[in-house]
Amino acid sequence: TPASKGYFISEPFDAGGPSSWGKLYLEGDNIAGNTSIYLRSGNTADPENGGWSNWLEGRLEGKSVSAIIPTGRFLQYKLELNNSNTDQICKITEVKASYSIANQKPVITEFDIERPEPKPEMPVSELKKIAIRWQAIDINQDKLTTDIFIKSRGSENWIKIAKDLTVNQYIWDTTLAADGLYTVKIVVSDQLDNPAGSELAAEKISQNILVDNTAPEMNELTLTADGDKCHVLVSVFDNLSVIARVEYSLDSSPVFRSALCTDGLSDSNKEHYKFTLEPQENGSHIVTIRITDIAGNSKMLTKEFRN
């Protein structure tokens, strides 16, 4: 003899993310009038650990069940079957749930700003190209696009320099920007896979980045004759960058030699250098001085002298 009542509690169903729950659909025999269904949702895998709603009684209409179920990642249902009429035994073979996973904001997992490592004979133009690289993930598996913005120090305005990128790298040619300190912002959006107004975006902002496209200046050049020799003292400065080196060439020689920083270490944007010229012959000569900062900017000055 079939039991007059039956009960069943499902395992929690995992939608994979916070979801909006719609109707449930029951498959089986003699469901109408013989079935009560209760539902609850939560955000933990185990209802006993909390984070779940109270049981809500669903409204059964034919084989569909309606209920206002709170948004949650997990859903659980409870069935109460009534077999008081033994000629029409209630049997449920399948329960299906309709749901929509709520859109989740992308997550930026990596964000790096990289300057090229200076190498011998590397063109200055390559030193000015900064690589902006990032990685992002999306819980909903949405396609992501990225916009890139820059802002100079003291400005309130972000300037968009790249739009709708689908790759995770952008090379910024800083020769197209004015000198100064900048911050870079990336905005990663899931707009391609979501209706207008429901898209979400994540953003990150870099630390300050120095853009310097101006060569250092020479504010003092002293040449002192000493017999066959000539002692040279050079004072240089740069508005933004540390002075990297001062080099010199005698009588248009293609070979440049390094000058000595007077304090032993070139670590400031204002430095003094000295060196001694020793021409093999007496008479008129020229010395060419090349100043370079750490941003790769350089400037040359040629001066005539006699020994």
Side-chain angles (χ1 to χ4, degrees):
T1 301
S4 60
K5 289 185 179 294
Y7 303 91
F8 176 78
I9 298 179
S10 73
E11 294 293 326
F13 170 74
D14 184 1
S19 299
S20 299
W21 299 96
K23 290 185 177 182
L24 270 68
Y25 299 91
L26 310 181
E27 294 293 336
D29 300 323
N30 302 315
I31 295 174
N34 295 312
T35 305
S36 296
I37 185 168
Y38 301 88
L39 307 125
R40 64 179 177 178
S41 61
N43 289 300
T44 61
D46 185 356
E48 301 304 319
N49 289 336
W52 282 70
S53 68
N54 295 324
W55 287 108
L56 303 168
E57 184 172 6
R59 184 173 67 255
L60 187 62
E61 298 175 351
K63 292 186 177 182
S64 68
V65 180
S66 300
I68 301 176
I69 306 170
T71 298
R73 174 171 174 167
F74 297 89
L75 180 72
Q76 188 178 36
Y77 63 88
K78 177 171 64 176
L79 296 172
E80 293 184 4
L81 308 181
N82 183 357
N83 280 330
S84 57
N85 186 345
T86 57
D87 294 331
Q88 296 183 344
I89 296 175
C90 177
K91 181 172 68 174
I92 295 177
T93 58
E94 188 176 16
V95 178
K96 298 179 180 179
S98 60
Y99 63 94
S100 174
I101 298 178
N103 190 26
Q104 298 292 296
K105 181 187 293 189
V107 177
I108 300 172
T109 56
E110 297 179 28
F111 179 34
D112 297 302
I113 307 291
E114 298 178 6
R115 291 184 181 273
E117 182 179 349
K119 297 179 180 179
E121 307 305 321
M122 176 183 284
V124 174
S125 59
E126 292 301 309
L127 290 173
K128 304 296 185 178
K129 294 179 180 179
I130 292 178
I132 304 169
R133 298 189 177 96
W134 65 96
Q135 293 291 335
I137 59 174
D138 189 90
I139 294 175
N140 307 102
Q141 303 298 311
D142 291 334
K143 296 176 183 177
L144 300 176
T145 60
T146 303
D147 294 345
I148 298 180
F149 301 79
I150 59 173
K151 184 173 68 170
S152 61
R153 184 171 66 174
S155 173
E156 296 182 357
N157 302 316
W158 286 102
I159 307 299
K160 186 183 294 186
I161 60 172
K163 180 181 180 182
D164 295 338
L165 299 176
T166 56
V167 294
N168 297 331
Q169 174 176 299
Y170 179 78
I171 304 300
W172 176 29
D173 184 356
T174 62
T175 62
L176 304 177
D179 288 359
L181 287 173
Y182 288 81
T183 48
V184 174
K185 177 173 70 173
I186 60 171
V187 178
V188 180
S189 171
D190 61 9
Q191 60 183 339
L192 290 181
D193 283 343
N194 291 280
S198 65
E199 71 275 14
L200 295 173
E203 65 178 51
K204 277 198 174 183
I205 299 175
S206 73
Q207 295 181 339
N208 287 332
I209 300 167
L210 176 63
V211 172
D212 182 3
N213 297 312
T214 303
E217 295 289 342
M218 188 181 309
N219 58 2
E220 182 182 353
L221 174 58
T222 303
L223 289 83
T224 304
D226 181 14
D228 293 340
K229 301 178 182 180
C230 182
H231 302 296
V232 182
L233 178 64
V234 182
S235 296
V236 296
F237 75 96
D238 190 281
N239 286 328
L240 294 173
S241 297
V242 170
I243 303 298
R245 60 190 175 275
V246 169
E247 302 161 294
Y248 63 93
S249 165
L250 179 62
D251 293 337
S252 295
S253 168
V255 178
F256 279 79
R257 301 187 65 177
S258 295
L260 177 67
C261 185
T262 57
D263 64 3
L265 182 62
S266 185
D267 59 357
S268 169
N269 68 326
K270 295 179 182 180
E271 295 288 359
H272 303 282
Y273 293 80
K274 62 181 180 180
F275 55 93
T276 299
L277 300 170
E278 299 183 60
Q280 294 183 354
E281 298 179 0
N282 293 334
S284 296
H285 303 277
I286 58 172
V287 59
T288 302
I289 301 171
R290 182 168 62 194
I291 317 163
T292 306
D293 64 21
I294 61 170
N297 304 302
S298 64
K299 188 173 186 177
M300 289 197 294
L301 175 69
T302 299
K303 185 77 172 179
E304 185 176 333
F305 69 97
R306 289 184 62 85
N307 67 334

